[in-house]
Structure formats: C-alpha cells, structure tokens
C-alpha cells in the first residue's frame, strides 16, 4: 500500500507539476495536500500545455484520479474554471474529487490578503494575493467555511457565514475603511458554487485509504516548497501551509507509515518569488540573462522570479526536514552553455562559517554564500532521455549535488515535456 510524495525542496516552482505528470501513469491517484491557488503547476504532454493552480496533475492519464485533500484551501471560481477548461480540451474530469473538509477561500480572504499586504508597506511578504494566508488564518481561528458546508446551505453555511462575515466586516470597515461585503451577495456566490461543486465533493480520506488497502499506488502532490513552509521555511517570508512532508499526513488524513517514498524536487539552480532572504541570489546581467533564458516568471502572478545558484546548504536542510528518499533535478538544460556553474556549499556570517540553514531570518539575510565553481558544458543536455547522453561535466555537477544534499538523484528533467526526462533509477516500485 505505497504512497509516494513529491515535495518541493526549494522555494517552490521546482517543476513538480511535470514530475507528477511523468509519474502519474504508474499510480491510481494524484492527491494534493496543501496550499491553494497560489500554486502554478505547468504540465506539457501529448494532450498539450496546461497550467494548473488547484486541480492535481493526474487527470492526463486514463486511470489516475485527481483528488484535493482537506489540507488545501480552495477558490471555487478558480477550481471550476480549471475543470471547465480541462473538459473543453477533452480531459475527463469525472475522476476528480475534492474533500468535504477542505476550506474555502471567500471573497473577504482575497480582499484582506491585498489590504494586509498594502498595510505592511516595505515589510510586505509579497504574497500571491489569492487569499491563501487569510483563509488558513480563519481555519486555525475556527472561523473557516468548508467545502462540506456548501452541501448544507441553509443550515451550517448560513449560520457560519453570518457569524464570520460580521466579524470580517468590522475589520474591513473599521481598520481599512472599505465598504462591507453584503451577506446576500456572498451567500448567492456560495449557492452557485454548491450547485457546481456538489458532484465532486467526497470524504477523500476514505477514498485514499481504500486505494491503499487495495494495494494501489498513490502520488502525493506537494505545492510550494520546503523553504516556504510555515514552520520550517524562512519565516515570516513563507506561505501559510505546510508544503513539506508533515503536511501530507495532516493534509490528507493519511498515516506517515503509508508513505514509502519521499521525492525532493530541486531546480538545478534556485529561484524565489516575493520577499525574504536568498543567500545564493544572483544579481546584474547574469541574473537577467538566466531569468530570460529560463523564462522565470510566475505562473500565478506573472512576477519575475529572483534567480540564484544551487544552494546546497538549504538543500541539505530540506532533505533533513523531509527525509528525502530520492531527488529529482529539473531544468538542468538551462545551465547548458555556461562557462562555469557555481554551487553554494556554505554560508559566512561576519566572517564566521555557518554551515546550517538558520531559523532566524535576520541571520539568513546576513549569510554570504561560499561558492564552489565547476566547469560548465557546451554540449546540450536539453531533451536527453538517458544519463549516458549527458556531457561528463553535467554529470559531475549532478553527482556533486547528490553528495552535498546527501541523497541520490533518481530523475533528471531536461526539458518541459513529459518525454524530456531521464529516469536514473525506478521511483515507483
Ligand atoms: P502566499 O502563499 O500567496 O500567501 O504567498 C506567501 C509567499 O509564498 C510569497 O513569497 C509567494 O511569492 C510565495 N509563494 C506562494 N506560492 C508559491 C508558489 O507556488 N511558488 C513560488 N512561490 C510561492
């Protein structure tokens, strides 16, 4: 009864969507456990190019279900829009289910996300503005509205919405001086969502458990990355959920004992969107060139991503937090043609060596990278499908990353398409 998790090892955008689409053919379900429409997973396969924010990347295979677990926060408009688009492009969405325990992102969450960010000024987190943080805040404050409430409109939804909206309107009007939201408008929106979402709502923890009991493989789809984790990331410059392995258990109602493989996905370099320290960040023309070459612009917000060299200190920390059983290295092809490539192997603070990823964000911000420089490669890795096709210097770079992070690379991605993949060793057995 194996479950395999695919976890972002860095600051998100590592290419998890592609990896999941590649592996989903050997599984019965792809199950998302954390985050919300702040994620943007790009999948390129024989059906075309897809950019998914909420629907898990499993529906492109004929036998895999796509399930959203209780740990995800859902913007129903985004979800319904994605399902409609998938349907219109010939993808069967009847194998999609959403947990009745998942929380909804309400219009006031999106409004408050934007107002809070504006109010923070230069201390803004740089959120995606999708209402994710305020929705998780309400979940923990026990003010949240869940997908299951939509199935009981006049009962639990009406009373919960009334209570919460009154409270939110106090904040919206008294703190931010904005117009209150009308109960009838929000209730009508929920009524529309209820009608359209009802066919998909299920007790997903039971579906997942039944699959595992029947000996089926399932894939746990991470969103964002470990360094954005609410507990383990560079707080407060983090998202409001647990994108690391612990979130898979609580976000699905799944025992950690069911998880036999934990795959850590890393880009061959680093990127970060929004504020917060990034010790191996590149600046100047080189950063511009890399960003352009790799088209490092956010799928959700279109923002330019910050770019940097591979940070092995952060990588090792991420391996420890998650207990990675294997690594996936994506976008190796982007480094093709560089005269040399660098890896951050340590930090220095005030001239003193710092070889662990610090929990204090002020200290992280002071960390200067200690780089190791490796010769680049002229021959392309782009579109390679076997490790034998890789230039010796590219292979040496991969081996060095394995050594520094402390875990074997099982998959190398050499392009956006499903076929541009090197399976170094089997992942799903
Ligand atoms: P939020 O998740 O929208 O609250 O944003 C909090 C931080 O996480 C910001 O720095 C975002 O840029 C970052 N973030 C959230 N989702 C993603 C993602 O999918 N990829 C990369 N960064 C993300």
């Amino acid at each position: 009864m194996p479950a395999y998790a695919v976890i972002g090892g860095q600051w998100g955008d590592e290419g998890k969507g592609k990896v999941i689409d590649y592996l989903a053919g050997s599984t019965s379900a792809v199950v998302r456990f954390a985050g919300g429409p702040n994620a943007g997973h790009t999948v390129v396969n024989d059906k075309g190019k897809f950019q998914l924010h909420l629907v898990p990347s499993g529906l492109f295979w004929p036998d895999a279900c796509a399930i959203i677990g209780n740990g995800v926060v859902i913007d129903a408009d985004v979800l319904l829009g994605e399902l409609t688009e998938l349907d219109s492009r010939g993808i069967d969405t009847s194998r999609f289910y959403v947990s009745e325990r998942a929380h909804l992102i309400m219009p006031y969450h999106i409004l408050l996300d934007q107002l809070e960010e504006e109010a923070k000024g230069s201390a803004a987190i740089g959120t995606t503005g999708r209402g994710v943080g305020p929705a998780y805040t309400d979940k923990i404050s026990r003010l949240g509205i869940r997908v299951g409430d939509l199935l009981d409109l006049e009962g639990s939804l009406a009373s919960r919405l009334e209570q919460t909206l009154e409270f939110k309107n106090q904040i919206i009007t008294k703190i931010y001086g904005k117009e209150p939201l009308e109960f009838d408008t929000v209730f009508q929106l929920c009524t529309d969502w209820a009608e359209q979402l009802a066919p998909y709502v299920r007790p997903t923890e039971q579906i997942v458990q039944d699959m595992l009991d029947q000996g089926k493989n399932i894939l746990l789809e991470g969103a964002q990355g470990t360094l954005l984790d609410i507990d383990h990331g560079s707080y407060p410059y983090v998202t409001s959920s647990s994108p690391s392995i612990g979130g898979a258990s609580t976000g699905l109602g799944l025992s950690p004992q069911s998880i036999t493989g934990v795959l850590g996905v890393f880009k061959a370099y680093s990127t970060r969107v929004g504020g917060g320290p990034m010790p191996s960040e590149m600046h100047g023309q080189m950063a511009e060139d890399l960003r352009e070459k790799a088209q490092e612009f956010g799928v959700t917000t279109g923002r330019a991503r910050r770019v940097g060299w591979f940070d092995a200190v952060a990588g090792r920390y991420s391996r420890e937090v998650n207990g990675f059983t294997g690594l996936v290295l994506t976008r190796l092809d982007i480094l093709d043609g560089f005269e040399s490539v660098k890896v951050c192997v340590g930090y220095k603070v005030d001239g003193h060596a710092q070889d662990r990823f610090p929990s204090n964000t002020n200290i992280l911000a002071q960390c200067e990278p200690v780089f190791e420089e490796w010769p680049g490669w002229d021959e392309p890795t782009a579109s390679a499908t076997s490790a034998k096709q890789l230039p010796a210097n590219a292979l040496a770079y991969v081996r060095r990353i394995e050594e520094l992070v402390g875990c074997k690379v099982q998959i190398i991605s050499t392009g956006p398409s499903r076929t541009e993949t090197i399976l170094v060793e089997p992942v799903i057995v």
Side-chain angles (χ1 to χ4, degrees):
M1 39 167 238
Y4 298 88
V6 177
I7 304 285
Q10 298 161 312
W11 278 285
D13 307 317
E14 298 91 351
K16 296 177 291 296
K18 176 203 158 146
V19 175
I20 289 157
D21 174 62
Y22 175 77
L23 294 172
S26 320
T27 63
S28 297
V30 176
V31 196
R32 171 102 182 255
F33 60 83
N38 47 356
H41 289 168
T42 304
V43 174
V44 183
N45 55 34
D46 52 335
K47 312 268 187 323
K49 180 175 177 181
F50 300 85
Q51 295 193 318
L52 302 169
H53 300 281
L54 276 167
V55 176
S57 319
L59 287 179
F60 306 104
W61 292 93
D63 298 323
C65 299
I67 300 174
I68 293 184
N70 58 278
V72 177
V73 288
I74 292 167
D75 181 325
D77 283 334
V78 173
L79 176 58
L80 290 164
E82 260 170 42
L83 290 170
T84 306
E85 196 200 328
L86 288 168
D87 270 333
S88 74
R89 294 178 65 184
I91 310 297
D92 174 17
T93 55
S94 65
R95 292 168 284 118
F96 168 75
Y97 309 112
V98 56
S99 169
E100 53 201 5
R101 295 175 192 267
H103 281 243
L104 287 167
I105 297 179
M106 304 296 283
Y108 43 82
H109 291 138
I110 299 172
L111 179 63
L112 287 170
D113 196 355
Q114 291 157 3
L115 292 173
E116 282 169 18
E117 281 285 272
E118 267 169 46
K120 281 182 182 152
S122 63
I125 304 296
T127 74
T128 57
R130 298 295 188 267
V132 169
Y136 277 116
T137 304
D138 274 3
K139 173 176 173 172
I140 302 301
S141 304
R142 292 157 293 187
L143 281 173
I145 294 184
R146 307 199 293 181
V147 169
D149 293 325
L150 295 177
L151 306 184
D152 184 18
L153 282 173
E154 298 300 335
S156 61
L157 183 89
S159 60
R160 291 192 64 71
L161 183 60
E162 204 166 11
Q163 179 202 12
T164 304
L165 197 57
E166 199 185 317
F167 183 64
K168 296 292 163 189
N169 275 337
Q170 301 267 352
I171 300 172
I172 292 168
T173 56
K174 293 190 179 149
I175 295 184
Y176 294 109
K178 301 282 177 193
E179 288 298 308
L181 300 186
E182 295 292 334
F183 174 87
D184 287 349
T185 314
V186 182
F187 189 76
Q188 183 55 50
L189 186 67
C190 292
T191 309
D192 296 343
W193 287 345
E195 200 183 312
Q196 296 174 72
L197 274 185
Y200 305 107
V201 181
R202 295 284 192 291
T204 51
E205 60 286 348
Q206 287 170 23
I207 300 179
V208 169
Q209 198 52 58
D210 288 349
M211 285 182 174
L212 292 173
D213 288 346
Q214 290 160 22
K216 295 179 173 169
N217 291 326
I218 64 166
L219 210 53
L220 313 181
E221 176 178 299
Q224 288 82 46
T226 303
L227 305 177
L228 288 174
D229 187 286
I230 185 77
D231 287 288
H232 305 291
S234 47
Y235 193 88
Y237 298 98
V238 292
T239 191
S240 298
S241 67
S242 303
S244 53
I245 193 63
S249 188
T250 55
L252 296 175
L254 176 76
S255 162
Q257 289 170 324
S258 309
I259 307 173
T260 50
V262 187
L263 216 50
V265 186
F266 289 81
K267 264 182 198 165
Y269 49 97
S270 304
T271 60
R272 174 162 206 173
V273 199
M278 181 184 185
S280 67
E281 186 164 11
M282 271 179 211
H283 298 280
Q285 196 56 45
M286 189 158 212
E288 295 282 321
D289 292 347
L290 177 58
R291 185 178 303 114
E292 276 306 312
K293 181 176 182 192
Q295 280 301 293
E296 290 291 358
F297 299 94
V299 172
T300 304
T301 59
R303 288 182 292 179
R305 295 180 184 140
R306 297 154 67 192
V307 296
W309 295 108
F310 189 91
D311 184 340
V313 182
R316 196 164 57 243
Y317 169 71
S318 195
R319 192 259 297 160
E320 289 168 353
V321 167
N322 291 290
F324 290 141
T325 54
L327 305 183
V328 180
L329 200 63
T330 64
R331 310 216 73 185
L332 183 62
D333 52 300
I334 296 299
L335 299 182
D336 291 355
F338 276 65
E339 214 171 287
S340 65
V341 285
K342 291 186 190 175
V343 185
C344 171
V345 294
Y347 302 146
K348 273 197 169 162
V349 181
D350 279 340
H352 298 289
Q354 163 94 31
D355 59 357
R356 311 288 290 198
F357 191 79
S359 69
N360 183 316
T361 300
N362 288 336
I363 296 179
L364 186 64
Q366 292 167 43
C367 284
E368 288 169 30
V370 177
F371 285 121
E372 209 174 75
E373 194 156 357
W374 284 71
W377 51 91
D378 282 332
E379 313 86 337
T381 67
S383 306
T385 51
S386 134
K388 289 193 198 100
Q389 296 169 320
L390 294 181
N393 286 351
L395 206 53
Y397 179 69
V398 174
R399 295 286 170 251
R400 186 63 182 139
I401 285 176
E402 283 183 331
E403 212 170 79
L404 290 164
V405 175
C407 193
K408 277 211 76 170
V409 171
Q410 293 184 302
I411 296 175
I412 300 171
S413 171
T414 56
S417 161
R418 188 190 279 170
T419 51
E420 294 169 303
T421 309
I422 301 172
L423 186 62
V424 181
E425 60 178 49
V427 172
I428 296 184
V429 287

